[in-house]
Structures are given as C-alpha cells and as structure tokens.
Amino acid sequence: MTTAAQPIFSKGEDCKASWHDAGAGYNEADTHLEIMGKPVMERWETPYMHSLATVASSKGGRVLEIGFGMAIAATKVESFPIEEHWIIECNDGVFARLENWSKSQPHKIVPLKGLWENVVPTLPDNHFDGILYDTYPLSEDSWHTHQFDFIKGHAHRLLKPGGILTYCNLTSWGELLKTKYDNIEKMFEESQVPHLLQAGFKKEKISTTTMDIVPPSECKYYSFRKMITPTIVKE
C-alpha cells in the first residue's frame, strides 16, 4: 500500500445524512460490503470478528451489537449460550438483511433501526452483559473518533457491573498503522486507552489480545498483519 493511495475520506466529507437509504452493496459472492463507495466490511475479517464476538458474549445474558454489516460477528454471538441479542443498524439494506437473518437464529433478537446516536439514548442503564461496537465512520471528522462518542457517552452506563465492552474501528486503526505506528499494542495504548479511562473504565480492567492475520493486498482500509481485540470490564 503506497502513501499515494486515495484516503478513505476526503477532507470535510460527510456521508451521515445519506447513509441510511444508500444502497447496501453486497457482492455476488458475499465477500464484500460497500456503501456509498466505502469499503464497509470484507469477509477476510472473519477470524477477527469472531474474536470480538467471543469477548462480547463471554458473560452470556444480554448482548448489544452496534453495526450488523455482513452478520459475521452476529452469527458467532448466536453460537454462544446468551439470552438476548440486541442489534442496532441504520442502513436500510443492511437492516433488511438483519431482519431476514434474525428469523433463523437460536436466541431472541431485538433489531433496532436507526443511527446509534438516536437509538442508544433510549436504552436503559445497567442492561447489557456484553457490548460489541463496530460501526463504520460516516464522516472525515469522526473517522478516528466516533467510537469514543459512544464509549464516553453510553458504554459504561449501559453495561451491568462486571459487563464487558469490546470494539474496533478498523478504518481508523488501519490508517494509524499505515501512517503513525508500527506496533499495534502501542497504537492502542496511546490512541485508545486515554479515552477509555475518560469514559470511567479502570486501567486494570482494560486488556487486549492480538492475532496474526494477512489482509488481502487489495484491501483499502487495513494492511497491517496483526489485529487487536480489546476486553474492557465495568467494575
């Protein structure tokens, strides 16, 4: 990947107003999802998505997933002995796929339509045993920071004591690992942990694991050969 490659977002770009009814472009082989020309998700991410899902489901109970995408993480969550699986998705086409997928799942699915910024404030405190946040950035301005808006504003209050948060922003982390960092643990420690502490989580309750992975050379948003899974526990 050369530095001359087109950035994912151009200066000042904002997709938010159009995102909900923009076409969900699942390719024929169901290996890629594009919306508004953005590479939202690709199936090579599967081992990593399964890692996030495993963390989010590790307490059982009620799991909140924000961003449905290609159902990779969601299907893995459903393989665990949970009780309820609440899923927020704002794109019309992706939500239609979520509704169809939900009919054949073993656990109670609660599909919630809309931008998380509108849906999450309606959800009760101390309600979830696990949260998996993996939404796509919708503007250049929020490219590297949208996860913190959720984490600082809501994640701590939504979790039950002992509940677990995991999340990713691959579109951001892929860029940081291309331009600023060559060590994924250092990237997470410096660019993510300070925000988690500001959100009310304790340093000793934040841990990470890494996995080796080889993204396809044509992937526009991630080329680093490791991925990192956070586990953040509410006291």
Side-chain angles (χ1 to χ4, degrees):
M1 178 64 73
T2 65
T3 51
Q6 189 70 21
I8 299 287
F9 284 95
S10 55
K11 190 80 181 147
E13 186 178 6
D14 192 332
C15 304
K16 192 177 236 179
S18 313
W19 194 263
H20 73 97
D21 59 358
Y26 293 98
N27 68 338
E28 198 170 340
D30 200 30
T31 57
H32 293 67
L33 168 60
E34 280 200 1
I35 299 174
M36 294 182 72
K38 305 295 184 195
V40 173
M41 182 166 256
E42 298 177 2
R43 199 159 288 281
W44 66 266
E45 295 176 33
T46 294
Y48 179 64
M49 288 295 120
H50 284 182
S51 173
L52 294 174
T54 301
V55 171
S57 308
S58 60
K59 298 281 186 179
R62 187 182 292 119
V63 176
L64 172 64
E65 184 174 358
I66 305 175
F68 181 69
M70 297 171 69
I72 299 172
T75 301
K76 185 67 173 176
V77 168
E78 284 298 303
S79 75
F80 293 106
I82 63 164
E83 292 164 23
E84 296 180 8
H85 189 177
W86 297 38
I87 307 172
I88 301 173
E89 175 56 53
C90 72
N91 178 269
D92 294 349
V94 178
F95 191 80
R97 182 178 271 221
L98 160 56
E99 288 191 301
N100 192 49
W101 169 90
S102 68
K103 294 171 189 167
S104 58
Q105 301 312 310
H107 305 294
K108 180 183 176 181
I109 309 290
V110 181
L112 300 162
K113 175 81 166 71
L115 289 164
W116 74 257
E117 295 93 327
N118 299 329
V119 176
V120 164
T122 70
L123 302 179
D125 294 356
N126 304 306
H127 200 59
F128 296 99
D129 299 277
I131 298 175
L132 196 175
Y133 178 95
D134 177 22
T135 72
Y136 197 77
L138 299 186
S139 69
E140 190 248 347
D141 187 50
S142 65
W143 180 358
H144 298 287
T145 58
H146 66 90
Q147 71 272 26
F148 304 133
D149 295 336
F150 168 74
I151 292 168
K152 290 180 186 178
H154 299 283
H156 196 274
R157 76 163 184 87
L158 290 171
L159 285 170
K160 296 176 183 176
I164 291 185
L165 165 70
T166 191
Y167 74 96
C168 69
N169 182 351
L170 293 185
T171 318
S172 165
W173 298 352
E175 185 72 10
L176 292 175
L177 290 163
K178 233 180 260 180
T179 59
K180 197 171 176 184
Y181 293 97
D182 58 8
N183 179 302
I184 197 166
E185 283 103 342
K186 187 166 190 265
M187 179 280 293
F188 193 87
E189 180 67 31
E190 293 186 1
S191 71
Q192 307 295 301
V193 170
H195 296 277
L196 298 174
L197 298 177
Q198 286 173 24
F201 294 102
K202 299 284 192 292
K203 181 82 161 107
E204 61 272 18
K205 298 289 188 178
I206 301 168
S207 59
T208 59
T209 58
T210 61
M211 66 168 60
D212 295 323
I213 200 153
V214 182
S217 57
E218 66 274 12
C219 179
K220 295 175 187 170
Y221 56 90
Y222 205 92
S223 57
F224 202 73
R225 293 198 164 202
K226 283 186 182 294
M227 299 180 103
I228 192 162
T229 301
T231 299
I232 303 136
V233 181
K234 176 180 174 176
E235 281 198 312

